[in-house]
Amino acid sequence: MNRKPAIISIKGYNLTKKEKKLIKQEKPWGIILFKRNIKNFDQVKNLTTEIRKCLKDQSYPILIDEEGGIVSRFSNLINSSEFSQKFFGKIFEMNNTKGKMIYEYYLNSVCSVLKNTGINVNTIPVMDLLNKSSHKIIKNRCYSNKTKVIKSLGRICIDNLKNNKIGSVVKHIPGHGKGNADSHKKMPIVNDSPKNLYLNDFSTFKDIKSHFVMTAHILYKKIDPKFVATQSKIIIDKIIRKKLGFRGLIISDDISMKALKNDLLSNARNSLNAGCNLILYCGGKIGESSMILKSLGKIDNFTIKKTQQFYEFLR
């Protein structure tokens, strides 16, 4: 499989000539869409068709971040502003059976929109543990402050997407809940002990059955004082792979976020060298996408194998 280990983004409603050329020549692993790429249903369907024609690949991964609540890329088309993960967490805590039924109905509705527009990966669920110290950027995006509720709803979400032939991306592994800052703007630092983190924040991600996870740009100071999780060999190998038992593909959070210290190319390489299988670039600038893609080698055998498994799942 001739692909580069990067998920890139594009500028507008249609591919430009330069974007088409770049996708055909450099072959990014996938493309993620944002609100800037979504005008109406027909336009999105035409866009996803156009992207797949470039790669001649009907299963090509096209992602979106449609959490509901404050993170809704389809807000031009559907109103999911009330339906945050916290909203479903509260209902589930009051009545597990009704909560499950209502959440599944919502997920099926979202999946229907994704399937009809040609999107096959949604970067949900958020399985971070809500804490008193959680930054406002994450508070309504968490299901609950109870690990049992998070695990239950996370499993419902992953299973429901699987039933709809949509890939899930669990985030932000190994846990963003105690982050004291917005990682889009600065590096969050967590000073909790490893023992406490394993028992609480990290535990929600144990043995998850998703094809993909997304890392947290968080510095866990008492585990790795130098590198955020995305760029930490210690956290990716010893915690995500071994202690939490994740066997799928690890995607970095956006490498253009301010929580990472270096330039884009260094951020990409450092993330891959630490153990991420794919890097995510959300800026949508053709020059930056080109620089990243042209500087990276091809995906490794593990990523090829897991990508092929994902393709088999889609069929």
Side-chain angles (χ1 to χ4, degrees):
M1 182 174 279
N2 183 17
R3 296 284 165 80
K4 297 289 184 75
I7 299 164
I8 64 164
S9 50
I10 57 176
K11 186 178 179 181
Y13 298 138
N14 305 101
L15 291 178
T16 64
K17 287 182 180 179
K18 287 184 178 179
E19 286 171 339
K20 283 183 184 178
K21 185 179 178 183
L22 181 67
I23 292 166
K24 287 177 182 178
Q25 289 183 347
E26 297 301 326
K27 297 177 173 57
W29 183 90
I31 289 176
I32 188 166
L33 302 182
F34 287 91
K35 189 175 177 179
R36 64 177 182 262
N37 309 123
I38 295 166
K39 186 178 183 181
N40 57 56
F41 283 98
D42 288 341
Q43 170 268 321
V44 182
K45 180 62 179 172
N46 290 337
L47 176 58
T48 57
T49 301
E50 195 178 16
I51 289 168
R52 292 196 169 101
K53 277 183 181 176
C54 291
L55 279 300
K56 298 177 182 177
D57 180 355
Q58 290 305 306
S59 298
Y60 185 70
I62 299 177
L63 301 82
I64 198 158
D65 193 3
E66 183 59 36
E67 293 178 12
I70 63 170
V71 182
S72 174
R73 311 309 184 191
F74 268 101
S75 59
N76 288 337
L77 309 182
I78 56 175
N79 182 8
S80 61
S81 59
E82 297 298 319
F83 304 123
S84 66
Q85 290 198 174
K86 191 175 183 183
F87 171 87
F88 291 108
K90 284 182 177 178
I91 295 173
F92 188 80
E93 285 179 21
M94 288 187 287
N95 186 312
N96 288 184
T97 304
K98 285 185 179 178
K100 180 177 185 289
M101 182 180 68
I102 292 167
Y103 190 38
E104 285 180 337
Y105 181 84
Y106 166 80
L107 289 168
N108 282 327
S109 300
V110 172
C111 286
S112 177
V113 174
L114 301 187
K115 286 160 73 175
N116 286 324
T117 51
I119 293 164
N120 56 8
V121 182
N122 193 2
T123 62
I124 59 172
V126 177
M127 293 185 69
D128 300 316
L129 177 65
L130 182 64
N131 287 268
K132 287 181 181 178
S133 60
S134 295
H135 190 272
K136 63 182 180 181
I137 193 69
I138 203 78
K139 276 190 174 179
N140 285 329
R141 297 166 65 195
C142 300
Y143 289 121
S144 175
N145 60 0
K146 299 177 178 66
T147 57
K148 190 175 179 181
V149 171
I150 295 168
K151 287 180 181 181
S152 296
L153 286 171
R155 194 178 307 114
I156 290 167
C157 181
I158 294 164
D159 289 347
N160 189 276
L161 265 62
K162 279 183 179 176
N163 291 338
N164 281 283
K165 299 291 183 181
I166 301 284
S168 57
V169 183
V170 177
K171 58 192 185 187
H172 304 83
I173 200 166
H176 206 298
K178 281 199 171 72
N180 59 357
D182 178 357
S183 53
H184 295 86
K185 298 176 181 178
K186 61 186 285 192
M187 181 195 294
I189 297 170
V190 172
N191 287 299
D192 243 21
S193 69
K195 183 181 179 182
N196 195 38
L197 288 166
Y198 286 130
L199 287 172
N200 297 289
D201 296 62
F202 295 177
S203 70
T204 63
F205 297 92
K206 176 80 172 165
D207 297 327
I208 48 174
K209 306 299 182 188
S210 175
H211 289 100
F212 314 106
V213 294
M214 184 180 291
T215 58
H217 290 339
I218 302 274
L219 187 74
Y220 303 96
K221 210 159 187 181
K222 292 182 180 176
I223 298 174
D224 188 337
K226 286 188 175 181
F227 300 104
V228 297
T230 302
Q231 299 180 339
S232 169
K233 290 181 181 180
I234 295 169
I235 289 171
I236 291 176
D237 180 45
K238 293 186 177 179
I239 296 175
I240 296 175
R241 290 298 189 194
K242 290 177 180 171
K243 282 194 176 284
L244 300 179
F246 183 66
R247 298 287 176 260
L249 292 178
I250 299 174
I251 304 170
S252 79
D253 205 343
D254 180 13
I255 59 166
S256 64
M257 287 162 67
K258 302 300 182 187
L260 303 186
K261 298 176 182 177
N262 299 306
D263 60 90
L264 285 173
L265 190 52
S266 297
N267 287 340
R269 286 174 172 161
N270 291 343
S271 302
L272 292 168
N273 289 339
C276 288
N277 306 110
L278 302 165
I279 59 98
L280 177 67
Y281 167 65
C282 299
K285 296 177 181 177
I286 185 71
E288 293 180 347
S289 292
S290 178
M291 175 197 65
I292 293 164
L293 289 168
K294 288 178 179 179
S295 301
L296 298 179
K298 295 177 183 178
I299 58 174
D300 60 19
N301 289 334
F302 176 82
T303 308
I304 291 171
K305 178 185 173 184
K306 292 297 177 179
T307 303
Q308 288 170 339
Q309 287 175 1
F310 175 62
Y311 276 28
E312 288 165 13
F313 151 78
L314 291 174
R315 293 189 186 106

